[in-house]
Amino acid sequence: MLNALLRISLALLTVLSLAGCGWHPRGSQDITLQMRQLRLVTEQPNAALTLKLRRALQVAGVELVDSAGSGLSLHLGTEQRVARKVSLDRDARSAEQEMRVSVAFDLRDADGAVVFGPRTATAHRIYAFDPNSIIAKQNEEDLIYQELLDNVVGQIFRQLRRAEAGLAP
């Protein structure tokens, strides 16, 4: 009985410590928006970024509509994904690479007037590259790409929240 009580107390202390320090699971950011409807206009409707943004908007309770009507429309430009070598090893092979994902966007009212923008959301990451393990590195690059997309979607959400609060110029 004492052992079970000790375990429960330790688990409760751990949870409270993590909550108190601000730690939260990756991807668990607050994604609530006050707007109820939004038209998403994009040059790449099937791009990974567009699909991730569409899902995030729906999770936030935003109804995506096809026509502008009397609401707002979010216009996304073309997703840019760039990978480049950052450093070389002694054999002149890539030792580190950088991946960068960016997209230009703006928010417009029902008349087509720009509420804010154009803005660019950009995320980048430098990572070690081992040319001897290409398959493992491809899996790592896919994971990094998904994390960068999450970061870009988070930036767009923060800008939408600023627009709702009237803080966006």
Side-chain angles (χ1 to χ4, degrees), residues 77-153:
T78 304
E79 172 190 328
Q80 304 292 321
R81 179 179 174 180
V82 177
R84 69 179 186 95
K85 295 175 184 173
V86 176
S87 67
L88 303 175
D89 64 10
R90 63 187 170 128
D91 297 325
R93 296 183 303 178
S94 181
E96 289 182 322
Q97 290 193 349
E98 176 187 34
M99 185 182 302
R100 180 177 302 269
V101 175
S102 64
V103 66
F105 65 97
D106 60 54
L107 186 66
R108 301 179 189 176
D109 63 15
D111 298 327
V114 175
V115 175
F116 77 82
R119 305 267 171 91
T120 301
T122 302
H124 67 95
R125 177 142 167 225
I126 296 174
Y127 56 95
F129 184 80
D130 181 6
N132 297 322
S133 60
I134 298 296
I135 294 174
K137 282 299 163 184
Q138 183 60 48
N139 291 338
E140 181 182 7
E141 285 178 357
D142 292 342
L143 180 63
I144 290 170
Y145 176 61
Q146 292 302 317
E147 290 175 355
L148 293 178
L149 290 178
D150 289 340
N151 188 307
V152 168
V153 168

Side-chain angles (χ1 to χ4, degrees), residues 11 24 52 61 68 73 76 92 142 160 162:
H24 59 278
K52 193 171 280 274
S73 59
L76 285 182
D142 292 342
L160 290 174
R162 285 180 55 118

